[in-house]
Amino acid sequence: MSVSLGLPQIRSAGPAPSGAPAGTGLLDRHGRRATDLRLSVIDKCNLRCTYCMPADGLPWLPAAQLMTPGEILRIVGVGVRQLGVTELRLTGGEPLVRRDLEDVVAGVRAAHRDLPISLTTNGIGLAARAPALARAGLTRINISLDSLDAETFRRLARRDRLADVLAGAEAAAAAGLTPVKINAVLMRGINDHEAPELLAWALEHGFALRFIEQMPLDADHGWTRADMVTAAQIRDRLATRFRLVPHPGKRDGAPAELWDVHRAPSAAAPAQDPAQEPALDPAVGSGGDDEPLGTVGVIASVTEPFCADCKRTRITAEGRIRSCLFSHEEVDLLPLLRAGATDAELAERWRAAMWVKPAAHGMEHTGLDSADYVQPARTMSAIGG
């Protein structure tokens, strides 16, 4: 499972090539240093979202191939103590499918008292487990929610579970897993008209909404550039109800570009792309109110890529290193650990895998809509967001 990128090849299940400078953390050849670890705890999911999975699901990994809580703790420890990891996001699949998730969180928290630990979830079952996750040491929650309409939710997720997701978001907030971030993917002709409503709902509940451009990581390979809703179009839809002002804080490698949200001077005003407005001054009020209502983020991996500032490193549910979300190569870490490797040996393999990280989108240039882009064999659920 490898392609020629003009780089030393890293084959799935194979060792990583050497070449990374010693003692440099997770540095790559382009000068980026990964400090944000996205670690998948399981590949299974209990939804079948159209932009991610086929209706019948995917072949799941046998339990014996998944990392145990102890193995996860060991890998996180190597990342934090030896490689400069400063934050952890637990992903899937759907992490809540793991019954021992609280044990995973508690183990990491006991070993790393100050490490931010977040969780990306679809929210199914979160209402019952949010308090225990908070007690275990989880810092905050990201919840995927693409629609507030029950029928549209069912159409997108192929499951009638909207009420469960909404209850999970409320439970996360009540448990103090804040800020609760909401991730939404807009699909043209299905839910893209809901963008203003989703933002109004998030602001009302004190949630931080992030719109994500649909990426070519779907199992059905049905993605097309022409059909996706772009970041500019998302902002345009929001501008029918709100005025967006560039957030003054530093982005610092974050995937989402943030905008402060203000009331629009008039709901009937023509929609505009805020990126093209000549005077976007956070100090200028809207309708006599100069305080923002909150923020909204847009993650534009396709049309406004941020690869040059990427700070992420990924571990799949079976313990493989992925240097880039769109990589075609992986490096096994778990078999080395199970064979009795030292922390130094694990760190060296991880460092070597990240050293040859591609410049962008699994290639040496950006362009998820370019002719030479090849979609990875794994879908998002199998990679871990």
Side-chain angles (χ1 to χ4, degrees), residues 57-292:
L58 295 164
W60 308 126
L61 290 169
Q65 290 186 24
L66 296 175
M67 294 179 288
T68 66
E71 290 165 343
I72 292 172
L73 178 58
R74 176 93 183 277
I75 288 173
V76 171
V78 170
V80 171
R81 289 190 294 268
Q82 299 202 26
L83 297 172
V85 166
T86 58
E87 61 181 297
L88 171 66
R89 173 88 62 86
L90 300 176
T91 69
E94 173 42 52
L96 293 176
V97 172
R98 276 195 73 139
R99 297 181 179 179
D100 60 359
L101 182 61
E102 289 82 356
D103 296 333
V104 171
V105 174
V108 175
R109 175 56 67 221
H112 308 284
R113 293 292 182 182
D114 299 322
L115 181 69
I117 308 173
S118 58
L119 177 75
T120 295
T121 173
N122 62 29
I124 308 298
L126 182 58
R129 297 177 70 178
L133 286 167
R135 289 192 298 270
L138 191 67
T139 307
R140 65 170 185 82
I141 289 274
N142 281 42
I143 300 174
S144 298
L145 175 61
D146 303 320
S147 176
L148 296 171
D149 177 79
E151 177 55 30
T152 303
F153 182 96
R154 187 201 62 76
R155 180 180 177 187
L156 285 169
R158 300 189 178 104
R159 299 290 188 273
D160 186 15
R161 304 299 296 271
L162 175 61
D164 298 293
V165 180
L166 296 177
E170 292 179 2
L177 298 172
T178 56
V180 174
K181 295 185 178 181
I182 303 296
N183 299 335
V185 177
L186 297 182
M187 305 289 285
R188 188 177 302 281
I190 299 176
N191 67 333
D192 52 328
H193 64 284
E194 286 192 63
E197 181 184 358
L198 279 164
L199 180 52
W201 170 82
L203 293 170
E204 178 184 354
H205 288 81
F207 302 150
L209 180 61
R210 303 291 185 265
F211 288 104
I212 304 174
E213 286 185 337
Q214 184 197 4
M215 293 176 283
L217 290 171
D218 59 307
D220 293 329
H221 290 230
W223 181 93
T224 66
R225 172 65 173 77
D227 287 340
M228 65 164 285
V229 181
T230 69
Q233 291 166 344
I234 292 169
R235 294 190 295 260
D236 190 61
R237 283 158 173 75
L238 296 176
T240 63
R241 186 167 173 180
F242 302 98
R243 185 172 69 91
L244 305 185
V245 174
H247 186 67
K250 291 184 178 180
R251 188 167 177 176
D252 193 28
E257 181 179 12
L258 289 184
W259 302 80
D260 286 342
V261 182
H262 295 258
R263 291 182 178 87
S266 170
Q272 297 182 21
D273 180 1
Q276 304 302 317
E277 288 188 18
L280 292 175
D281 184 354
V284 176
S286 174
D289 181 5
D290 62 357
E291 291 298 320

Side-chain angles (χ1 to χ4, degrees), residues 298-320:
V298 181
I299 300 175
S301 298
V302 180
T303 63
E304 299 168 10
F306 41 87
C307 302
D309 296 319
C310 182
K311 302 170 76 172
R312 282 157 293 287
T313 182
R314 288 178 168 81
I315 302 291
T316 67
E318 74 273 45
R320 290 179 176 177

Side-chain angles (χ1 to χ4, degrees), residues 3-14:
V3 296
S4 177
L5 298 174
L7 306 174
Q9 289 298 294
I10 307 176
R11 297 182 180 276
S12 139

